[in-house]
Amino acid sequence: WAGERGRTKYPEAIVNSGTLTTKNAVMITANNVDLNNCDREQVQFSGAVQPHGAMLVLAETDLRVLQASANCATLLGTPAVDSLLGQPIEHALGKDVARDIRDHLARAGTDLDSGPVHLMRATLAGSVFDTFIHRVEGGLILELEIVGSETAPLLDLFSQLHATIGRLQATRGLQAFFDLACEQLRWFTGYDRVMAYKFMDDGSGNIVAESVADGVQSYFGLHFPASDIPVPARRMFALSWLRHLPNADYEPVPIVPALNPATNGPLDQSRGLLRSVSTMYSDYLKNMGTRGSMVMPLMKEGALWGLIACNHSVPLHVPHERRMAAEFLAHMLSLLMAAKEDAETYDYRLRIGATIDHLVRSMAAEPVFHHGLIKSEQNLLRCLNTTGAALAIKGELFLMGRTPGEVHVKNLIGWLGARDDGQAVFGTDRLSSLYADASAFQDTAAGVLAVRLIPHRPDYVMWFRPEIGQIVHWAGNPDKPMESTEVNGEIRLSPRGSFALWKQSVQGRSDPWTNVEIQGAADLRRAIVEVILQQAEALDQANRELSRSNVELDSFAYAASHDLREPLRGINNYASFLLRGHAEQLGEEGRAKLDTIVRLTKRMDELIESLLHYSRIGRLDLSVVAADLDIVLDEALMTLAARITDANAEIVRPRRLPTINCDRIRVREVFVNLVSNALKYSKGTDRCRIEIGSTEADVTGTPVFYVRDNGIGIAAAQHERIFDIFRRLHGRDAYGGGSGVGLTIARRAAERHGGRLWLDSALGQGSTFYFTLAPEAGPAI
Ligand code: ADP
């Protein structure tokens, strides 16, 4: 599901593989159905050893025997165990071996607190033993382990180890790293199965890598609930670097006496090599067809990160040298793995950063920035390794990949808005525990990571993750009988049982959002906000430039028209002078031409006057006062009184106009322009009827004024053109003539007030001109 989206190979391989097909899979577990039993069991006080060695507990001061495993006599050839107690070590192991032990002990010094130290090899009762010693409360534990038949040449092991570490360092990615580590560990130890097991944040775990011998069932990809590896077992793993159980079928050998005489308590074997394991553990191993096993912890920053577990179907006693090599490798794994994991996290962080950069470029290139965000939907998904994403912006919703339905996402946005805690980023891997409605869409969004783009606005980028159980495939045969086994009335879990338990424990949960992802989401939000701000800034800049160039244009128009008037007056004066003083010489034709010159200069003067007027409206500040528009209209009609009478027009004023803040001179001018046009352009129609009024149609309460006539009307195609300066739709002198600036000036006056001026008209249907004198409420954003 995530493979082609560049998810790192490591987690994806785990998720994709679902190769559980067989019996038991948990490599170490002391698990029965009452898990609390297990958590309480104090596995370090087992009071017994495994039979592949013998143990003596010695007083540190004089090496007197305090406790001994019951097999000392048979295995080491010592006198009867009871007779050893209280005696010096010489009595148990003979003078020679005892002397060697004392010598080696003196050399080993005091470094006995961190677990068994190998002292020497000793021959006792015809067998060879490796001897180990370490300190516990109450004395020194001397362990003598039988040396198996095969002893590996150390030099070979060393060079192999050396080569392995080199290869591990060179691997790319955690997956390859663990694959190689398992393979090499199997080579070192001879087990038929070696697995790397990783703990998740909630304590559950899964098998992330595995190496198996031919014909051995794979457990790769299996998940286990946290309870499968109980707390005491974990504590033990963190304490000792290697846990060796050559034969799960062993008979435990009791330690005599049961209580340590120095402490009067049970012997703490936390670090002991021979410690007998919990019967629940050994039974469980047997239950899953394993006889030989070995477990090593993987530590990261002092905490248990995971385990390396080795299994063998028949008993396997791994010689000390090989165990040392394996243990050393496990140490190296812990160190290298931490570095690899950090590198992988770092890579992911870089990848998120690169995707964000890409998104930012793509947003900046689009006039509407969020189109850049959704342009390549893979980008938003890839950004955080998710299967689904959504973008809610300015009332629009875009869904990408696998997401809940639109209605669900909208409701979720509503819920997010309502729970707003002021944080820009919100993430959860168990949404339905906070928001019950989410249980309807676990298959797409059991987890959500949401960033709010702008405070108090329902604008979000969201990523979704499906429920974990839904993405882990169960490839096993569901009819396999091995669900659980009952031993002495105790029900033991099988892998299938474990898997079911784990599935239950992850119900309603998605893969968690990592810190890197949360940080990435916050980074993307910051980037988007920056783009929004930049675009707003650019718009602002454009507006400022526009108004500046308007002012410049107005100043230019003013200066030009002002300067043009001088020479024009000169032409007019000289032409009139010629007409008056030299009429005789000019003759009929000359006079007519001069008449035209005078007429044209007059007309040009009018045009210049209009232009001056137009520029003045743009340049000069409005003088805004509270004005009763009814009175302003009275004044306008007064100016037009003669023309109204001439046209025999009917003026209708359905109701009083309101008092509003405006520049009354300019508004009077608007009324004069509109009413005079209404008078002009009704010639040839029925009796001219002009209605002037206002409506409260606008939601903000900004009144809309109108002037309606029953005149000749204007074709829709001309509705905008009539506002061009000097534009007339008719011949120069038709309809009483005009300069074509009246509407341009009227519109500009309305706009200077923050309002607008528009019309509704059709040819032959009369016209209604509308205007406002304040900004109207825009569409809600
Ligand atoms: P002018 O009236 O001086 O020509 P305007 O700018 O006032 O200039 O009007 C531009 C054009 O719009 C007019 O020439 C006319 O064709 C058209 N017009 C304006 N008002 C009306 C109206 N009430 N009815 C029909 N046409 C009109």
Side-chain angles (χ1 to χ4, degrees):
W1 59 285
E4 46 326 324
R5 278 193 267 286
R7 193 175 166 130
T8 53
K9 198 182 162 225
Y10 170 62
E12 140 201 322
I14 297 162
V15 164
N16 285 340
S17 82
T19 45
L20 177 70
T21 50
T22 187
K23 305 172 287 181
N24 297 303
V26 184
M27 58 296 255
I28 25 93
T29 170
N31 198 358
N32 66 3
V33 170
D34 180 6
L35 298 160
N36 287 325
N37 288 349
C38 212
D39 276 359
R40 280 198 303 270
E41 197 192 5
Q42 302 207 296
V43 281
Q44 71 272 37
F45 303 124
S46 68
V49 295
Q50 298 176 48
H52 62 285
M55 185 176 87
L56 292 170
V57 182
L58 307 169
E60 187 158 4
T61 45
D62 51 9
L63 302 191
R64 264 179 311 105
V65 178
L66 300 175
Q67 289 173 286
S69 61
N71 60 352
C72 279
T74 48
L75 202 63
L76 308 176
T78 65
V81 170
D82 285 348
S83 71
L84 293 180
L85 303 177
Q87 298 298 320
I89 189 174
E90 282 76 5
H91 182 72
L93 302 178
K95 280 208 173 60
D96 293 348
V97 173
R99 190 193 52 238
D100 282 353
I101 288 177
R102 283 184 190 273
D103 284 355
H104 280 97
L105 196 52
R107 242 172 281 141
T110 49
D111 188 23
L112 301 176
D113 289 318
S114 47
V117 174
H118 184 255
L119 286 183
M120 59 185 205
R121 273 210 166 135
T123 307
L124 287 156
S127 302
V128 185
F129 293 88
D130 274 316
T131 58
F132 303 89
I133 196 154
H134 73 284
R135 183 180 289 120
V136 293
E137 199 194 351
L140 299 173
I141 293 183
L142 180 71
E143 290 169 297
L144 300 104
E145 182 190 349
I146 297 171
V147 173
S149 51
E150 182 234 27
T151 48
L154 282 176
L155 209 60
D156 281 3
L157 270 181
F158 178 76
S159 51
Q160 184 68 24
L161 252 184
H162 192 258
T164 302
I165 289 168
R167 284 176 64 198
L168 282 172
Q169 268 172 330
T171 52
R172 288 188 65 84
L174 270 181
Q175 186 63 53
F177 175 79
F178 278 116
D179 288 345
L180 180 67
C182 288
E183 183 192 304
Q184 289 297 301
L185 277 163
R186 204 160 70 75
W187 188 89
F188 278 112
T189 56
Y191 284 98
D192 54 22
R193 179 203 312 287
V194 174
M195 299 173 274
Y197 183 99
K198 181 184 176 178
F199 291 115
M200 303 294 146
D201 287 347
D202 61 357
S204 74
N206 59 4
I207 294 169
V208 297
E210 182 187 55
S211 167
V212 289
D214 284 349
V216 173
Q217 197 68 60
S218 170
Y219 294 157
F220 182 56
L222 264 157
H223 286 68
F224 305 97
S227 54
D228 258 23
I229 299 182
V231 174
R234 276 177 215 224
R235 203 173 48 236
M236 302 296 291
F237 286 128
L239 273 179
S240 73
W241 273 102
L242 188 135
R243 182 95 203 74
H244 181 211
L245 185 68
N247 185 1
D249 247 341
Y250 73 97
E251 270 303 315
V253 182
I255 299 167
V256 183
L259 295 185
N260 180 294
T263 61
N264 221 14
L267 184 71
D268 182 353
Q269 290 188 82
S270 302
R271 297 175 193 275
L273 295 172
L274 296 175
R275 177 172 65 83
S276 180
V277 299
S278 156
T279 51
M280 285 189 278
Y281 173 34
S282 54
D283 282 356
Y284 194 62
L285 289 176
K286 283 187 272 180
N287 206 21
M288 64 193 272
T290 291
R291 286 299 177 276
S293 100
M294 186 164 92
V295 180
M296 291 166 287
L298 292 172
M299 308 291 289
K300 187 181 180 189
E301 286 156 14
L304 192 64
W305 181 94
L307 300 170
I308 294 285
C310 314
N311 288 354
H312 210 60
S313 57
V314 293
L316 182 68
H317 185 160
V318 179
H320 173 59
E321 298 88 326
R322 289 191 171 273
R323 293 205 315 262
M324 268 195 349
E327 187 182 321
F328 181 71
L329 202 55
H331 266 285
M332 290 309 294
L333 278 186
S334 287
L335 295 174
L336 295 177
M337 171 199 77
K340 289 267 176 212
E341 203 179 36
D342 289 348
E344 203 147 275
T345 307
Y346 182 68
D347 277 354
Y348 188 22
R349 187 176 306 149
L350 287 187
R351 205 153 50 77
I352 292 176
T355 315
I356 291 176
D357 285 351
H358 187 88
L359 286 171
V360 167
R361 276 197 300 276
S362 150
M363 281 188 285
E366 294 287 327
V368 180
F369 79 92
H370 64 260
H371 290 165
L373 209 51
I374 52 172
K375 204 168 176 188
S376 153
E377 70 173 40
Q378 287 306 320
N379 274 335
L380 212 52
L381 295 174
R382 194 165 30 213
C383 187
L384 295 189
N385 275 351
T386 55
T387 42
L391 171 70
I393 190 135
K394 295 182 179 162
E396 278 188 285
L397 180 64
F398 304 90
L399 300 178
M400 287 153 268
R402 293 185 55 212
T403 66
E406 203 172 305
V407 175
H408 280 314
V409 176
K410 282 185 175 158
N411 291 342
L412 176 61
I413 290 172
W415 176 79
L416 282 170
R419 69 165 293 287
D420 191 9
D421 54 6
Q423 299 290 329
V425 183
F426 166 78
T428 175
D429 58 357
R430 49 200 85 185
L431 183 60
S432 59
S433 69
L434 304 168
Y435 173 56
D437 292 2
S439 48
F441 48 79
Q442 304 287 8
D443 55 333
T444 48
V448 65
L449 183 63
V451 290
R452 181 165 229 171
L453 298 179
I454 294 160
H456 314 301
R457 283 240 305 249
D459 293 352
Y460 287 93
V461 178
M462 284 185 278
W463 293 269
F464 304 113
R465 271 184 183 157
E467 193 180 36
I468 300 176
Q470 314 248 8
I471 49 168
V472 177
H473 303 297
W474 173 260
N477 175 0
D479 300 326
K480 269 243 153 98
M482 196 75 178
E483 289 298 317
S484 62
T485 50
E486 212 179 304
V487 180
N488 301 332
E490 266 183 353
I491 296 172
R492 302 205 187 288
L493 292 177
S494 63
R496 190 173 297 277
S498 285
F499 187 85
L501 204 64
W502 172 79
K503 248 194 118 165
Q504 210 179 329
S505 76
V506 293
Q507 216 162 40
R509 273 174 44 199
S510 72
D511 272 340
W513 303 99
T514 62
N515 285 340
V516 174
E517 290 170 332
I518 292 167
Q519 187 58 46
D523 288 349
L524 179 65
R525 175 186 173 271
R526 214 167 303 128
I528 293 174
V529 169
E530 227 160 77
V531 172
I532 294 176
L533 289 180
Q534 269 168 15
Q535 293 202 342
E537 168 74 12
L539 197 68
D540 201 43
Q541 179 77 19
N543 278 338
R544 276 202 303 270
E545 262 160 31
L546 201 66
S547 51
R548 205 190 59 226
S549 65
N550 272 344
V551 170
E552 277 168 9
L553 214 63
D554 286 339
S555 312
F556 170 78
Y558 176 76
S561 36
H562 191 265
D563 292 353
L564 283 175
R565 276 187 127 175
E566 270 312 303
L568 193 63
R569 285 216 181 99
I571 294 170
N572 183 274
N573 285 346
Y574 278 100
S576 311
F577 173 72
L578 270 177
L579 266 178
R580 279 201 306 276
H582 304 274
E584 292 300 310
Q585 289 109 303
L586 285 170
E588 187 78 6
E589 202 185 333
R591 277 200 302 275
K593 285 188 171 140
L594 267 181
D595 269 339
T596 309
I597 289 180
V598 171
R599 210 178 58 245
L600 285 176
T601 53
K602 266 196 189 132
R603 179 151 172 77
M604 189 161 171
D605 192 54
E606 277 165 23
L607 291 178
I608 289 173
E609 172 60 32
S610 308
L611 199 59
L612 269 174
H613 190 100
Y614 176 74
S615 79
R616 212 176 289 132
I617 294 178
R619 273 182 304 115
L620 301 184
D621 288 337
L622 295 181
S623 85
V624 175
V625 290
D628 181 341
L629 288 197
D630 230 39
I631 296 176
V632 175
L633 179 59
D634 285 346
E635 292 166 2
L637 294 177
M638 203 86 83
T639 331
L640 298 168
R643 289 170 59 187
I644 292 170
T645 316
D646 278 356
N648 188 25
E650 178 192 5
I651 303 290
V652 184
R653 297 168 70 172
R655 59 180 214 167
R656 281 191 62 82
L657 298 183
T659 297
I660 61 165
N661 288 327
C662 62
D663 183 327
R664 52 181 304 148
I665 307 281
R666 299 281 160 254
V667 177
R668 185 171 65 208
E669 203 169 7
V670 174
F671 278 126
V672 169
N673 270 316
L674 295 181
V675 175
S676 82
N677 276 349
L679 289 168
K680 267 203 292 194
Y681 300 106
S682 59
K683 286 229 172 84
T685 59
D686 300 337
R687 187 185 169 202
C688 176
R689 181 179 187 278
I690 301 171
E691 180 181 326
I692 307 151
S694 73
T695 66
E696 293 283 349
D698 184 66
V699 283
T700 53
T702 304
V704 179
F705 302 96
Y706 67 87
V707 176
R708 180 169 297 138
D709 64 54
N710 57 348
I712 60 172
I714 306 163
Q718 310 290 351
H719 283 190
E720 272 312 302
R721 296 181 65 212
I722 54 172
F723 293 102
D724 292 348
I725 195 163
F726 302 134
R727 162 90 58 197
R728 297 207 73 216
L729 298 183
H730 314 281
R732 201 182 66 203
D733 298 319
Y735 297 101
S739 57
V741 283
L743 283 179
T744 319
I745 285 174
R747 176 174 263 189
R748 195 167 213 200
E751 284 172 354
R752 281 298 314 263
H753 282 85
R756 58 196 182 102
L757 193 150
W758 69 103
L759 75 151
D760 183 14
S761 178
L763 215 52
Q765 307 284 309
S767 310
T768 308
F769 284 83
Y770 299 95
F771 65 95
T772 56
L773 295 171
E776 297 152 88
I781 38 170

